[in-house]
C-alpha cells in the first residue's frame, strides 16, 4: 500500500473510532427502555429487509464459491429466510434480558461508616473482528447495545456485503430509538490494513474480540495495542468412560459431530476408555460412518473398528489437537480417566470438554480437573452456547481466562467500578 493511501486509511479508521467513542458516551447513559426499543425496531427492520439481505448474501456466497471455499465455509457464510428469522429473534431475546448496566454486584459498609458498592458499567468501544459469519454482525451489535457499548464490526471480506445489509437494518432500530448511528459501524473497506490500524487505537478502542481461525486470532493478538479476548479454536473432546451407556454415547457423539460440524463447539476428538472400547466403539463408529463421518483412529481404535467391519483411517499425529470443522473425527482409545485427562490437557483448546459416565466420582473428577470454558457431564459439547446456557445471544466464546471465560453474554461485556459514599470522611 502506498504511503498516501495508508495515511488516508489510518485517518479514516481514526474518524470511525472517534465516532464510536462519542457514541459510547451516549449509550452508557441510555435508559434500558430506549435500548430495548432500538433492539425491537432493529428486529422488525431485519425481517422487513429479508429480500435485500438475501440478495447481498447471495453475492457473497457466489464470490466465495468461485474462490473455491469449502462446503463448511459456505455453510457458515450462507443465509436463508430461517437464519434471518433467527437473527431477528436473537435481537428480541436480548431485549428481553435484564440490563446489566448499573447492577450492584456487591455492597458493604466499612467500620468507619463508608458505604461501598460495586456496580457494572459498559466497557466502552469494542472492536469485533470475525470471518464469514454474517449473523455475528447483528448478534454483536445487539449485545453491545444492550450492555451500553459502541461496537466497530470488522467482518471478513467474504461477508462484507451481507454485513453491510444487516447493519443497515440495525441502524434503522438505532434511528427509531434516537441513538447515535455510530453505535454500531461496519468497517466499509475490505483492506486488511484497516483492521491493523484500528488495533493501534488503544486511546479510543477498549477491547478487541477476534472470532475465527487460528491465523486470524494470531494476527490480531500479535498486532494489537488494544486488550484482546480470544475466541480461539474449538478442539472439543468427548470421553466415553467405562460405564458410558451405549445409546447415550451414540446420541452425544452424533449430536456433537454431525449436527453442525463447522461450528466451534462441534466435537473434534472422541476418547474411549479401554475397558469399554470393544463394546462402545463398534456401535458408535457404525453410526458415525453411516452419517458420513470420516474416522481417523489410533492403532487400537482402528483394530477394533476393522474387526467390526467399520471403515476407518489411521490417524496422523497432527489429527489430535486439530479443529477439522468438517465431518472428520479423531478417535483414540485411552487406558482410563487419567489417560483422557492427560490427552485433553495436551491437546485441548480450553473451549468445551465432555464426559459420558454413570460413575459420579469420575464425573466430579472430570469437572474438577479439566480446564475449559465449559465442562459437560452426559451432555453434548454443542450446549456451550450463549443461548443454550440462558445468556441470550453471545458475542463469542472466550478461550482467554481474562477477563471472560466461555460464552460472552451481557455481563461479560461490562466491567465494574466502585461507588464510595461518605459524610466528609478523611483518611487518617
Amino acid at each position: 500500500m502506498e504511503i498516501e493511501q495508508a495515511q488516508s486509511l489510518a485517518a479514516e479508521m481514526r474518524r470511525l473510532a472517534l465516532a464510536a467513542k462519542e457514541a459510547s458516551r451516549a449509550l452508557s447513559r441510555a435508559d434500558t427502555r430506549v435500548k430495548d426499543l432500538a433492539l425491537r425496531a432493529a428486529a422488525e427492520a431485519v425481517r422487513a429487509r429479508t429480500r435485500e439481505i438475501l440478495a447481498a448474501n447471495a453475492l457473497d456466497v457466489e464470490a466465495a464459491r468461485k474462490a473455491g471455499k469449502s462446503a463448511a465455509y459456505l455453510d457458515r457464510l450462507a443465509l436463508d429466510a430461517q437464519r434471518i428469522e433467527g437473527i431477528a429473534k436473537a435481537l428480541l431475546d436480548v431485549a428481553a434480558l435484564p440490563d446489566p448496566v448499573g447492577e450492584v454486584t456487591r455492597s458493604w459498609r466499612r467500620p468507619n461508616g463508608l458505604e461501598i458498592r460495586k456496580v457494572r458499567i459498559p466497557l466502552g468501544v469494542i472492536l469485533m473482528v470475525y470471518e464469514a459469519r454474517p449473523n455475528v454482525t447483528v448478534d454483536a451489535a445487539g449485545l453491545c447495545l444492550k450492555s451500553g457499548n459502541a461496537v466497530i464490526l470488522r467482518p471478513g471480506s467474504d461477508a462484507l456485503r451481507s454485513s453491510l445489509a444487516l447493519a443497515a437494518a440495525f441502524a434503522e432500530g438505532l434511528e427509531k430509538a434516537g441513538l447515535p448511528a455510530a453505535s454500531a459501524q461496519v468497517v466499509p473497506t475490505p483492506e486488511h490494513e484497516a483492521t491493523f490500524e484500528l488495533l493501534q487505537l488503544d486511546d479510543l478502542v477498549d477491547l478487541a474480540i477476534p472470532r475465527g481461525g487460528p491465523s486470524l486470532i494470531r494476527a490480531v493478538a500479535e498486532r494489537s495495542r488494544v486488550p484482546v479476548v480470544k475466541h480461539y479454536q474449538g478442539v472439543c473432546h468427548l470421553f466415553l468412560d467405562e460405564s458410558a451407556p451405549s445409546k447415550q454415547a451414540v446420541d452425544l457423539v452424533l449430536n456433537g459431530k454431525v449436527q453442525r460440524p463447522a461450528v466451534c463447539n462441534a466435537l473434534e476428538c472422541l476418547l474411549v476408555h479401554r475397558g469399554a472400547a470393544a463394546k462402545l466403539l463398534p456401535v458408535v463408529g457404525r453410526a458415525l460412518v453411516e452419517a458420513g463421518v470420516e474416522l481417523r483412529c489410533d492403532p487400537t481404535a482402528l483394530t477394533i473398528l476393522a474387526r467390526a467391519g467399520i471403515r476407518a483411517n489411521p490417524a496422523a499425529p497432527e489429527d489430535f489437537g486439530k479443529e477439522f470443522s468438517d465431518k472428520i473425527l479423531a478417535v483414540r482409545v485411552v487406558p482410563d480417566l487419567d489417560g483422557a485427562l492427560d490427552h485433553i490437557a495436551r491437546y485441548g483448546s480450553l473451549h468445551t470438554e465432555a464426559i459420558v459416565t454413570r460413575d459420579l466420582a469420575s464425573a466430579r473428577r472430570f469437572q474438577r480437573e479439566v480446564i475449559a470454558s465449559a465442562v459437560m457431564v452426559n451432555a453434548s459439547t454443542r450446549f456451550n452456547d450463549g443461548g443454550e446456557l440462558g445468556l441470550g445471544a453471545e458475542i463469542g466464546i472466550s478461550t482467554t481466562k481474562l477477563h471472560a471465560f466461555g460464552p460472552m453474554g451481557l455481563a461479560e461485556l461490562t466491567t465494574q467500578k466502585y461507588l464510595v459514599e461518605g459524610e466528609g470522611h478523611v483518611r487518617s
Side-chain angles (χ1 to χ4, degrees):
M1 184 180 289
E2 294 180 3
I3 293 176
E4 189 175 328
Q5 244 183 323
Q7 289 174 339
S8 174
L9 183 63
E12 182 185 357
M13 292 304 101
R14 187 162 189 86
R15 283 193 298 271
L16 187 146
L18 278 166
K21 191 73 171 180
E22 189 62 30
S24 74
R25 294 187 62 211
L27 289 174
S28 70
R29 59 179 181 264
D31 184 81
T32 303
R33 180 186 56 79
V34 173
K35 292 187 287 187
D36 290 346
L37 171 62
L39 289 165
R40 289 192 293 269
E44 290 176 12
V46 166
R47 286 168 170 159
R49 290 173 175 247
T50 295
R51 185 176 297 178
E52 176 185 328
I53 294 165
L54 288 176
N57 182 249
L59 295 173
D60 282 339
V61 171
E62 182 57 28
R65 185 178 287 110
K66 286 181 178 176
K69 299 295 184 181
S70 69
Y73 187 96
L74 294 173
D75 176 64
R76 291 195 296 271
L77 176 61
L79 296 174
D80 55 25
Q82 185 177 354
R83 287 187 179 181
I84 289 177
E85 175 58 26
I87 289 170
K89 187 178 181 303
L91 287 172
L92 297 176
D93 290 343
V94 173
L97 292 170
D99 190 340
V101 179
E103 177 192 355
V104 178
T105 61
R106 191 181 167 204
S107 63
W108 63 98
R109 181 184 177 90
R110 296 289 295 146
N112 62 4
L114 280 178
E115 300 284 352
I116 304 169
R117 287 174 291 152
K118 201 171 183 182
V119 301
R120 293 196 183 279
I121 62 171
L123 292 168
V125 176
I126 294 172
L127 170 61
M128 188 74 195
V129 185
Y130 51 105
E131 294 180 332
R133 293 184 184 273
N135 63 294
V136 174
T137 301
V138 175
D139 285 350
L143 282 164
C144 286
L145 172 60
K146 185 67 180 256
S147 55
N149 298 291
V151 63
I152 299 170
L153 300 152
R154 182 44 164 147
S157 57
D158 287 337
L160 185 55
R161 282 172 285 228
S162 306
S163 297
L164 287 168
L166 285 163
F170 194 83
E172 269 193 48
L174 293 170
E175 184 181 1
K176 286 186 179 177
L179 293 171
S183 299
Q185 303 173 84
V186 172
V187 178
T189 173
E191 294 285 349
H192 292 307
E193 287 300 321
T195 306
F196 300 134
E197 291 293 344
L198 288 165
L199 290 169
Q200 298 304 301
L201 302 178
D202 56 339
D203 58 327
L204 298 174
V205 179
D206 296 285
L207 181 69
I209 304 175
R211 181 172 172 177
S215 60
L216 172 69
I217 307 293
R218 279 196 301 271
V220 169
E222 290 170 3
R223 300 283 292 269
S224 184
R225 292 175 59 183
V226 173
V228 176
V229 170
K230 301 173 188 174
H231 176 113
Y232 203 45
Q233 296 183 90
V235 182
C236 305
H237 298 81
L238 177 66
F239 171 51
L240 303 182
D241 197 17
E242 193 169 18
S243 62
S246 297
K247 184 178 186 309
Q248 199 172 91
V250 170
D251 290 345
L252 268 64
V253 173
L254 285 177
N255 185 251
K257 181 73 265 185
V258 178
Q259 189 192 47
R260 288 196 70 189
V263 295
C264 63
N265 56 17
L267 183 63
E268 301 294 8
C269 182
L270 176 66
L271 303 173
V272 186
H273 192 296
R274 182 186 295 155
K279 177 185 74 170
L280 293 176
L281 261 179
V283 64
V284 171
R286 184 169 287 107
L288 285 164
V289 169
E290 288 175 356
V293 177
E294 176 191 343
L295 304 178
R296 298 184 182 178
C297 305
D298 78 335
T300 304
L302 199 63
T303 299
I304 292 171
L305 290 170
R307 285 173 182 163
I310 297 166
R311 185 176 67 256
N313 298 316
E318 62 270 18
D319 287 330
F320 296 107
K322 184 173 183 178
E323 186 177 33
F324 297 107
S325 297
D326 205 345
K327 283 190 175 182
I328 302 169
L329 185 67
V331 183
R332 184 181 182 188
V333 175
V334 293
D336 48 24
L337 176 58
D338 283 307
L341 293 171
D342 289 345
H343 181 101
I344 290 168
R346 180 177 178 184
Y347 294 107
S349 63
L350 307 183
H351 195 291
T352 311
E353 307 295 353
I355 183 173
V356 181
T357 185
R358 283 178 171 160
D359 186 288
L360 183 60
S362 294
R364 294 295 176 255
R365 187 175 170 214
F366 192 86
Q367 289 177 316
R368 185 171 62 250
E369 296 189 25
V370 166
I371 306 300
S373 76
V375 179
M376 310 293 186
V377 174
N378 300 329
S380 170
T381 59
R382 295 279 289 115
F383 282 105
N384 192 8
D385 170 270
E388 295 296 333
L389 297 182
L391 306 177
E394 67 185 31
I395 204 166
I397 296 178
S398 169
T399 54
T400 305
K401 294 178 185 176
L402 297 176
H403 78 285
F405 197 27
M408 292 187 67
L410 293 173
E412 288 73 26
L413 293 174
T414 64
T415 186
Q416 297 184 61
K417 70 179 179 183
Y418 293 94
L419 299 182
V420 183
E421 296 183 14
E423 296 180 358
H425 283 66
V426 293
R427 183 171 174 176
S428 58

